[in-house]
């Protein structure tokens, strides 16, 4: 019997697709795709959670929120406010006059029994090298009377002898001069004690 030419035999034999000789091939591909999508979704969820944690840690490292318990900074800040301070500015510059700062209590107050972890909020009114004094309730810095529109009404009779601020220190006072324990009582504040600069307040309670 004569043999058919090889080319003819190849034409008689229908080529088989992978799906014909491996019936589960398509199912395997589908399962693999589903498994891949599941892992991608899981990784994305995990990365998103990690990003959230990183942002939370960064925000915690760069900002601080404090409850205002006293009226020493009224009317700017009132009891019941939550004040927010940022920690970035003073990485690049020193505190400026007019800044409201959060700070750890200085050693002089710690020696009087105040816990070292207590945080005060006051306004910077003079910086290193400045001369500060008060005459009849009028704040004078470097011989110039200051126009302090932000202060609460206060007695005009109190005075403070002139002093020059040493390097590395600022002079801080509360806006409510009649009800504030500040640099008038315990001296200049070391800049190293400052934690951050006031940005904003919220959850303001009505005045009593």
């Amino acid at each position: 019997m004569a043999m058919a030419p090889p080319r003819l035999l190849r034409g008689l034999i229908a080529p088989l697709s992978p799906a014909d000789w491996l019936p589960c091939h398509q199912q395997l591909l589908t399962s693999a795709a589903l498994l891949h999508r599941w892992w991608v979704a899981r990784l994305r969820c995990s990365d998103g959670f990690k990003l959230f944690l990183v942002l939370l840690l960064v925000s915690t490292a760069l900002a601080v929120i404090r409850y205002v318990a006293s009226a020493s900074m009224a009317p700017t800040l009132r009891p019941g406010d939550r004040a927010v301070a940022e920690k970035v500015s003073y990485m690049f510059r020193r505190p400026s006059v007019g800044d409201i700062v959060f700070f750890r209590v200085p050693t002089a107050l710690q020696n009087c029994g105040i816990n070292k972890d207590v945080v005060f909020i006051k306004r910077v009114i003079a910086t290193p090298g400045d001369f500060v004094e008060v005459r009849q309730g009028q704040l004078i810095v470097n011989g110039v009377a200051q126009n302090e529109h932000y202060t609460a009404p206060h007695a005009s009779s109190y005075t403070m002898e002139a002093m020059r601020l040493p390097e590395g220190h600022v002079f801080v006072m509360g806006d409510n001069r009649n009800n504030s324990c500040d640099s008038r009582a315990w001296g200049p504040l070391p800049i190293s004690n400052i934690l951050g600069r006031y940005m904003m307040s919220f959850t303001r309670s009505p005045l009593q």
Side-chain angles (χ1 to χ4, degrees):
M1 179 176 177
M3 296 183 62
R7 181 176 298 178
L8 180 61
L9 288 176
R10 287 197 297 270
L12 294 174
I13 301 175
L16 295 178
S17 67
D20 296 327
W21 55 265
L22 185 58
C24 62
H25 176 70
Q26 190 65 33
Q27 183 178 357
L28 287 174
L29 289 177
T30 302
S31 300
L34 291 175
L35 183 62
H36 173 73
R37 291 175 185 173
W38 179 79
W39 273 109
V40 169
R42 182 172 179 180
L43 287 174
R44 286 177 179 171
C45 180
S46 176
D47 290 344
F49 182 69
K50 289 177 182 177
L51 178 60
F52 170 77
L53 288 180
V54 169
L55 292 176
L56 181 63
L57 290 173
V58 168
S59 64
T60 302
L62 300 182
V64 60
I65 301 176
R66 293 287 175 175
Y67 175 81
V68 179
S70 76
S72 69
M73 281 299 295
T76 307
L77 295 171
R78 301 180 294 189
D81 286 354
R82 272 69 175 176
V84 182
E86 53 86 10
K87 302 179 181 181
V88 179
S89 294
Y90 299 146
M91 295 178 182
F92 305 99
R93 67 172 179 87
R94 297 197 302 184
S96 302
V97 171
D99 288 356
I100 297 175
V101 294
F102 290 26
F103 59 92
R104 296 185 301 273
V105 294
T107 305
L109 285 176
Q110 294 178 33
N111 293 338
C112 293
I114 296 181
N115 191 297
K116 64 181 179 64
D117 295 324
V118 171
V119 173
F120 277 15
I121 306 174
K122 306 293 179 188
R123 187 185 296 273
V124 176
I125 59 95
T127 54
D130 288 342
F131 285 89
V132 185
E133 61 180 310
V134 178
R135 302 175 189 166
Q136 298 299 313
Q138 175 67 64
L139 174 66
I140 300 173
V141 180
N142 297 326
V144 179
Q146 304 298 300
N147 178 20
E148 300 181 286
H149 58 85
Y150 43 77
T151 59
H154 57 276
S156 60
S157 59
Y158 83 93
T159 61
M160 186 185 74
E161 294 296 324
M163 66 174 299
R164 184 177 186 275
L165 297 183
E167 186 62 33
H169 292 72
V170 293
F171 201 91
V172 296
M173 298 173 72
D175 289 354
N176 187 359
R177 300 291 162 77
N178 291 339
N179 185 24
S180 176
C181 178
D182 50 40
S183 289
R184 293 171 295 173
W186 39 261
L189 171 71
I191 292 177
S192 58
N193 281 44
I194 295 178
L195 300 174
R197 181 180 66 90
Y198 167 79
M199 292 177 56
M200 60 177 292
S201 62
F202 58 94
T203 318
R204 187 176 290 248
S205 65
L207 290 173
Q208 299 297 323

